[in-house]
Amino acid sequence: MAVIFMAKIELLEQRLAQGAYNNTFQLLYGKNQKENQRARYQAVLGGFRKTFPTTKDVELFSAPGRTELGGNHTDHQHGCVVAASVDLDVVAAAGVNGEQVIRILSEGYPMVQVSLDSLSIVEEEKNTTNALIRGVAAGMRERGYQVGGFDAYVTSNVLQGSGLSSSAAFEVMVGTLVSHLFNQGQIDPVAVAQVGQYAENVYFGKPCGLLDQMACAVGGYVAIDFYNPQKPVVEKIEFNFSKTGHTMCIVDAGGSHADLTDDYAAITREMKQVAACFGKEVLRQVPPAEFYTALGSLRSKVEDRALLRAIHFFEENTRAQEMAHALRQKDFEGFRRVSLASGRSSFMYLQNVFTCKSPTEQKVSLALAVADVLLQGRGCFRIQGGGFAGTIQAFVPNDMVAGFKEKMEAVTGKGTCHLLSIRPVGGIKVEEEAVWQN
């Protein structure tokens, strides 16, 4: 058996060394990253070999991080969003182990093991990687998919606490492994995303919408309407960002999302409080005109911040649709205007740029202010992802990128301004031929 295993992993290593995956790497990471990615994937195979020397077979997989473009905190209210997958990702070497246990070693972390004999919620596991793995496995089984034991060695360059959704990328990776190792790769990316959200909500214990997982699973530019979250309307939009004359910059302003669950939960809770005033569960079910007509009387029923956040939702839901239209029309100027408006609304009405637990610590607010000064009315900038800490997103004219990066990092720290690109696919099995169905 060891000979069979060695032959398989050595074949992958040989093909990597021969450049057989160069086209795939160019599609996923850009034309200048082939050497770096080849070394990265070879290191993953080496890690797998060392960690799981008796596992018979191995394949390579990738799941990207994501950037939200429009629709900040609209998804959990069944609203509209626009997002895209990025060229930072989780990479795994994985193989079936023939046991009823999932073992995952993420580079730099201890081994995680989850038994498939019992997939019930374990309260002590909440807020842990074990909970995410158990939740994905349980969600897949509940939907009737085959789930078995596997071993995986994982590495990730998706910045943690960055708003690029490292947790969603990991959940999508686990779902992608289940799809390809046990279900012939036939699990729809939408189902992979929904199971990932289920794992994070129910098993991990973090309330979140479906935006993060959906963008990571589907890939490319996607416009999503969550009016019916069980059957979201997902549209991939063909848009060549390289022709806009801008570069996407993600700036790590500092801070971590780790202690912010209460802040995220408050947004959902307060929006639902407003919806409940109309006898509805979420704001998407409330006609905007009806809300604005009742705004004065609502002040005696809910707090002012809840009303501001509701205003953000109604306007942001419209903006997300306008942004999708601009991308379809290849109208970058229209996209830019909507992005700026989205950022202003998140700052003023949604109020997710710093946590009230520490109001004098405003790393994200400062990064946004610096971007505003540096861009001088060009490009656009806004909060990235869930907010309260982490990163901002900026689309910077190419002739300003070098100066923007230098001056921004003088404030936020060296190596904090990341130049990213959009990748066209979501969670995948990585193969020599760069052709995938999504």
Side-chain angles (χ1 to χ4, degrees), residues 209-264:
L210 190 54
L211 163 62
D212 296 350
Q213 294 83 359
M214 192 68 76
C216 295
V218 175
Y221 293 91
V222 288
I224 312 167
D225 187 336
F226 290 112
Y227 183 78
N228 179 355
Q230 300 308 313
K231 295 182 179 180
V233 178
V234 182
E235 176 194 0
K236 291 197 73 166
I237 301 175
E238 297 299 324
F239 182 80
N240 189 341
F241 180 73
S242 65
K243 294 182 178 180
T244 67
H246 288 69
T247 296
M248 181 171 68
C249 301
I250 300 297
V251 181
D252 186 356
S256 170
H257 289 175
D259 299 320
L260 298 174
T261 297
D262 292 344
D263 293 277
Y264 300 131

Side-chain angles (χ1 to χ4, degrees), residues 4 6-7 19 27 55 86 149 184 225 243 246 289 298 308 326 330 358 377 379 389 407 436:
I4 296 174
M6 292 296 288
L27 178 72
T55 301
V86 298
Q184 295 78 50
D225 187 336
K243 294 182 178 180
H246 288 69
L298 289 172
L308 286 167
K330 311 297 187 287
S358 182
K407 293 173 182 176
W436 297 281

Side-chain angles (χ1 to χ4, degrees), residues 266-305:
I267 293 178
T268 304
R269 181 178 65 252
E270 291 174 13
M271 287 185 176
K272 287 190 172 184
Q273 286 172 351
V274 177
C277 294
F278 298 88
K280 304 298 183 182
E281 180 183 359
V282 293
L283 287 175
R284 185 68 184 280
Q285 299 165 343
V286 179
E290 190 174 334
F291 164 77
Y292 284 115
T293 299
L295 189 54
S297 62
L298 289 172
R299 296 192 68 191
S300 64
K301 301 176 182 178
V302 295
E303 298 294 336
D304 289 344
R305 189 175 69 175

Side-chain angles (χ1 to χ4, degrees), residues 65-66 88-90 106-110 127-129 132 154-170 204 206 250-260 264 384 389-391 416 418:
R66 71 96 182 101
L88 299 179
D89 64 343
V90 178
S106 295
E107 185 179 18
Y109 295 90
N127 293 297
T128 69
T129 301
L132 294 178
V154 173
T155 186
S156 174
N157 59 12
V158 182
L159 307 172
Q160 290 194 343
S162 66
L164 294 172
S165 296
S166 56
S167 60
F170 181 81
F204 188 83
K206 178 181 177 180
I250 300 297
V251 181
D252 186 356
S256 170
H257 289 175
D259 299 320
L260 298 174
Y264 300 131
Q384 159 71 23
T391 57
T416 56
H418 305 275

Side-chain angles (χ1 to χ4, degrees), residues 348-390:
M348 292 190 297
Y349 306 141
L350 184 62
Q351 299 179 31
N352 68 332
V353 294
F354 64 90
T355 174
C356 292
K357 297 173 185 175
S358 182
T360 59
E361 182 180 333
Q362 297 201 26
K363 294 182 174 68
V364 174
S365 306
L366 180 60
L368 289 168
V370 173
D372 191 9
V373 172
L374 292 178
L375 288 174
Q376 301 175 7
R378 300 178 64 191
C380 54
F381 60 96
R382 49 162 285 182
I383 187 74
Q384 159 71 23
F388 298 109

